[in-house]
Amino acid sequence: MRVVIAGAGFGGLELATLLSEEFGDDADVVLIDKAAEFVFGFSKLDVMFGRTSAEHVAHRYADAVRPGVRFVQSNVRALDPVARRVTTDDGTFDADILVVALGADVDPAATPGLVEGGHEFYSVAGAFALREVLAGFAGGRVVIGVTSTPFKCPPAPSETALLMHDFLGARGLLDSSRVSLVMPLGTPIPPSPDASAAILDAFTERGIDWHPGQSVRSLDPVRKVAVLRDGDELPYDLFLGVPKHRAPDVVVASGLTENGYVPVDSRTLATRFPNVYAVGDVATVGVPKAGVFAEGAARRVAASVAATLRGDEQPDGYPGLGSCYIEFGAGRVGRVDVDFLSGPKPTGEFVAPSAALVAEKHHFGASRSARWFGR
Ligand SMILES: Cc1cc2nc3c(=O)[nH]c(=O)nc-3n(C[C@H](O)[C@H](O)[C@H](O)COP(=O)(O)OP(=O)(O)OC[C@H]3O[C@@H](n4cnc5c(N)ncnc54)[C@H](O)[C@@H]3O)c2cc1C
């Protein structure tokens, strides 16, 4: 049974690894990605703030050699969910089970003025380019602004504000600077009032301006102002944006999407097409767009494929659980353990920032690097 996985991000890598672990050389998995390297989302912030180098955080797919898994570096040009066929620049792949794990693309050009007058830190290229920009920043008004929902890793803009404060402090630029955060959400981490309160306290302590329930509609690069959804304007010297997100064009063109993303059964990750699944940011599951959830969804699909191949009962439904690490600045990391699907509404347990959680976050990344890339 051939499993074709389109997209080798958090979801695709975990799924391919689990199938390889389960079936070894007997697995017949084709893993396709246009990129040569994988970069963890949180590494983008590390590179941008000069905490590590771009080379250090790039994981080459060529190193991810696993029994039963063939990696194909190619652009996916078309997906046919009826025929379960993936067309790439380097050939066509027919699947018995097709898993769409192509993530969400960011579209800076969709926000007028963002490309000309600001910077985005959500793509690898955008975040890495910001390293030089920040190194040359002489202080002033920094606006971190989200342009729309949904967006990946809801804590990331808050983390960016706190790390920006650290960055300015380390360069003696705090007196001449002001950091503002524009967020469409009403609180930083909606499922966890405790985590939200801790982040808001950290903002208050540092004098970070918080604009909840707002988004950035456009930038005026000439006047250097960010125009908010309600028409208010925020002047900036440096604008760091979270661009609009959307499913990759090839997914939209395949007919798999509704309201922008791929609807799935949130317990099985199955699409409405037989033997076609969607995991991670590309899907509408009822969980946030974050790596831990993409990974959890991939685990459920792997268990289902294994059960089918072995003739076993199907596994329990995808639980929608995940732990997100939150950079609080000053060398501390907090954690929120969120449960999106098991109760009537999402809940989140907050674990206060500590040095121990810095080590735990490091282990989170290092353990994935080891499992997926043998590093
Ligand atoms: C600044 C920042 C910080 C973050 N921090 C965290 C964090 O701390 N914890 C966490 O859990 N999540 C975090 N995230 C979110 C996380 O990175 C994503 O949610 C996660 O990567 C989604 O996994 P995925 O498998 O759905 O998609 P992705 O990991 O985005 O993978 C999709 C893959 O599909 C490939 N692809 C797309 N289109 C094509 C095509 N046409 N042809 C071939 N290949 C294609 C891409 O190259 C990519 O490799 C962060 C994100 C950002 C931006």
Side-chain angles (χ1 to χ4, degrees), residues 6-13 32-45 48 61 72 74-78 88 100-106 121-123 127 152-157 159-160 245 248-251 279-283 288-295 323-326 361 364:
F10 246 93
L13 282 165
I32 307 170
D33 204 292
K34 63 185 173 186
E37 295 167 341
F38 171 77
V39 173
F40 286 101
F42 53 76
S43 298
K44 295 172 187 168
L45 302 184
M48 152 181 168
Y61 288 118
V72 176
S74 194
N75 215 322
V76 174
R77 295 287 178 195
T88 74
V100 181
L102 290 169
D105 283 347
V106 293
F121 61 98
Y122 258 50
S123 69
K152 299 180 204 192
C153 192
E159 295 177 284
T160 304
H245 288 37
D249 290 341
V250 67
V251 181
V279 298
D281 292 353
V282 76
K289 298 199 180 306
V292 283
F293 293 106
E295 190 182 276
S323 293
C324 293
Y325 297 97
I326 307 166
K361 179 182 172 184
F364 175 86

Side-chain angles (χ1 to χ4, degrees), residues 57-193:
V57 300
H59 296 75
R60 290 176 350 119
Y61 288 118
D63 296 336
V65 180
R66 302 209 133 265
V69 179
R70 176 177 162 209
F71 177 72
V72 176
Q73 188 189 346
S74 194
N75 215 322
V76 174
R77 295 287 178 195
L79 293 166
D80 180 340
V82 177
R84 292 191 295 277
R85 177 167 297 152
V86 180
T87 306
T88 74
D89 285 346
D90 297 277
T92 295
F93 299 89
D94 288 320
D96 296 301
I97 294 177
L98 171 61
V99 183
V100 181
L102 290 169
D105 283 347
V106 293
D107 185 5
T111 302
L114 176 54
V115 175
E116 304 86 337
H119 305 271
E120 62 85 12
F121 61 98
Y122 258 50
S123 69
V124 172
F128 286 11
L130 266 164
R131 184 189 174 98
E132 292 300 310
V133 175
L134 290 183
F137 183 56
R141 293 159 301 187
V142 182
V143 175
I144 297 154
V146 179
T147 57
S148 64
T149 57
F151 61 96
K152 299 180 204 192
C153 192
S158 300
E159 295 177 284
T160 304
L162 293 164
L163 293 175
M164 189 71 213
H165 183 272
D166 272 9
F167 183 88
L168 294 167
R171 279 157 188 74
L173 295 171
L174 277 178
D175 287 345
S176 57
S177 300
R178 182 113 202 147
V179 178
S180 305
L181 173 59
V182 180
M183 271 274 253
L185 311 176
T187 59
I189 316 266
S192 173

